Amino acid sequence: PRSDCVVAEQLCLSDSTCNATYRTLENCALAKTRLLPLDHDSRVRCLNAELDLGNSSLLHCKCHRRMKRQEHCLRIFWTVHSSMTDGYFSLETSPYENPANEEHWKTDYNKLAALVSGENCSQLAGDATNPCLKATHVCNLSKKCFRLRTDYASICTKGAGSEDVCDRRKCHRGLRNFFEKVPEDFTKRILFCPCQDEFCGERRRKTIVPDCSFQYNTKPNCLWLLDSCLEDHICKSRLADFQQNCQPADMSPDGCSLHNHGACLQAYMGMIGTPMTPNYVSNSSVDVSLWCTCESSGNQKEKCDQILGMFGSNKCL
C-alpha cells in the first residue's frame, strides 16, 4: 500500500542501509536543483541509488493535496524520483494520491447553500442569471470560504496593476490557501461557474484577481515560466498532476486518456497560485491560457508551443 512520504522517510532513516541510499539521492537531487552537471559515473550512481530502494515504501509513497507538511512531503517525493525530471516534459507521475472522481464533481448549488446556511435559499433566487454571483453568495454562507476568499482578494488587489507594488508571491500563496483549505464544492463552483453573458464571464475571469496573480506588465517567454515552475516543488508537483490527469486523447469520447474529467479539473485548479497560473482569456469564452508568449524562442519554438498548448488546445481540459 502507498504510504505518506513523510512517514516513509522516517522509516527509511531508521534503517542504516536505506538511510545511506536516501542520502545519496538527496545529493543527486541537490545537484539537479543547482543545475550542476553530473558526470556519467554520478548519473549511474544516482540511478542505482533509486533502484536500490527496490520495493521500499519510500519508492511508492505519495502526498495528499491538503496535508499540513505538503512541501516537505513533495521534496521527499522528488528526491526519490529525481531521475524522472530528466529531459523535457517528462513529469509523467503525479506525486498526489487519489484524484477526484467524476461523480464527486456534480454538486447542486441550492442543496449546498441549504446545507451551509441551514435555511432555504430563497435569497439566492435573484442570482439565477449569474451563476458566478450565486457561487460567491454560496461561498459567503461558509465562514471559512468567506474568510479565505477575503484574505486572498485583499492581498491580490493591493497594488494590482503595478508590478512594483503587487506582491505576486503572497497573492499566489493566498490563492493556494483558498483552493487547498476550502472544500472543493465551494471552490470549483466559483472557478468553473457556467456563464451565458459577459457580465458573468467578467466575474469568472476576475475570480483569481488576474492583474496580480496572472498578468505581468509584459508577457514572459513560456520556457522561462516552465523553468520557474520546475524550480518550485509545489509547482512542479501540480504540473506533474496536471500532465497525468489532463492527458488529451483524440480517440476518447471525453478527450481524456484517463476518462476522468473531474480529476483534470481538480488538477487544473491545483495550478492556480503557482508560477504557471492559468486563467480565462476573455469574458465571452471558456478558453484558458498561460500568460506567456513563444516569440523569441529560437530553436525551442516547438517546445514552447507545447507548453501553451497544454492549456490552450487541450481537448481533455
Side-chain angles (χ1 to χ4, degrees):
R2 282 175 176 163
S3 65
D4 175 329
C5 288
V6 177
V7 174
E9 183 192 46
Q10 289 167 350
L11 287 171
C12 177
L13 296 181
S14 65
D15 175 88
S16 58
T17 307
C18 188
N19 192 327
T21 304
Y22 184 61
R23 296 305 180 196
T24 300
L25 287 170
E26 279 188 317
N27 291 332
C28 299
L30 190 63
K32 280 208 157 192
T33 305
R34 294 178 177 171
L35 300 177
L36 300 173
L38 292 174
D39 57 34
H40 175 72
D41 289 347
S42 298
R43 284 201 298 273
V44 170
R45 189 165 61 249
C46 292
L47 196 57
N48 285 340
E50 194 172 313
L51 294 171
D52 284 344
L53 287 178
N55 288 319
S56 80
S57 57
L58 198 57
L59 190 63
H60 302 285
C61 71
K62 291 278 186 174
C63 302
H64 303 285
R65 288 169 180 80
R66 293 169 177 246
M67 67 190 296
K68 284 184 179 176
R69 300 178 68 190
Q70 186 181 162
E71 282 192 63
H72 178 61
C73 185
L74 295 172
R75 181 186 62 75
I76 297 165
F77 180 89
W78 291 115
T79 295
V80 175
H81 297 285
S82 63
S83 66
M84 281 167 53
T85 57
D86 275 334
Y88 188 81
F89 263 176
S90 56
L91 305 177
E92 292 163 358
T93 303
S94 170
Y96 291 111
E97 185 72 279
N98 300 331
N101 60 52
E102 202 69 34
E103 283 304 309
H104 167 70
W105 276 65
K106 293 173 183 172
T107 309
D108 180 80
Y109 278 120
N110 291 339
K111 186 179 174 186
L112 181 63
L115 191 70
V116 174
S117 63
E119 58 193 44
N120 68 48
C121 337
S122 55
Q123 74 270 26
L124 296 173
D127 303 331
T129 56
N130 191 335
C132 290
L133 190 61
K134 189 173 188 175
T136 304
H137 286 172
V138 170
C139 173
N140 291 345
L141 294 170
S142 158
K143 286 181 182 175
K144 181 183 251 186
C145 189
F146 176 72
R147 176 173 56 82
L148 291 174
R149 183 173 167 272
T150 304
D151 283 354
Y152 85 72
S154 62
I155 296 166
C156 299
T157 49
K158 202 174 288 181
S162 166
E163 207 165 349
D164 297 328
V165 186
C166 161
D167 192 329
R168 182 172 283 108
R169 191 180 289 270
K170 278 188 178 176
C171 174
H172 280 168
R173 196 182 306 130
L175 278 166
R176 289 202 310 273
N177 229 12
F178 174 74
F179 285 108
E180 283 176 17
K181 293 184 178 176
V182 175
E184 285 173 348
D185 278 341
F186 296 101
T187 55
K188 70 192 180 192
R189 295 300 154 192
I190 286 177
L191 191 64
F192 302 123
C193 40
C195 289
Q196 300 297 322
D197 61 60
E198 291 202 18
F199 293 108
C200 178
E202 169 82 348
R203 190 174 189 95
R204 180 173 61 190
R205 188 178 62 81
K206 290 196 168 176
T207 295
I208 65 168
V209 196
D211 286 350
C212 184
S213 70
F214 178 66
Q215 293 172 211
Y216 295 75
N217 287 344
T218 54
K219 281 189 176 183
N221 186 281
C222 299
L223 294 163
W224 176 85
L225 214 59
L226 178 68
D227 287 342
S228 304
C229 182
L230 296 180
E231 288 169 10
D232 177 275
H233 283 309
I234 285 185
C235 188
K236 179 164 69 171
S237 302
R238 303 293 171 85
L239 181 60
D241 195 50
F242 180 82
Q243 284 189 307
Q244 177 179 297
N245 290 300
C246 293
Q247 194 68 41
D250 289 335
M251 302 304 288
S252 173
D254 61 0
C256 302
S257 62
L258 295 183
H259 311 296
N260 189 345
H261 193 232
C264 176
L265 292 179
Q266 184 184 50
Y268 172 87
M269 204 156 64
M271 294 299 300
I272 293 170
T274 70
M276 284 183 76
T277 294
N279 196 29
Y280 297 98
V281 294
S282 76
N283 300 338
S284 54
S285 78
V286 289
D287 294 341
V288 295
S289 183
L290 297 171
W291 183 261
C292 62
T293 177
C294 285
E295 290 176 18
S296 309
S297 296
N299 61 2
Q300 290 191 299
K301 175 78 164 57
E302 192 178 334
K303 293 176 181 177
C304 187
D305 288 337
Q306 259 188 295
I307 300 167
L308 266 180
M310 280 199 308
F311 294 89
S313 54
N314 186 328
K315 285 184 180 180
C316 180
L317 181 62

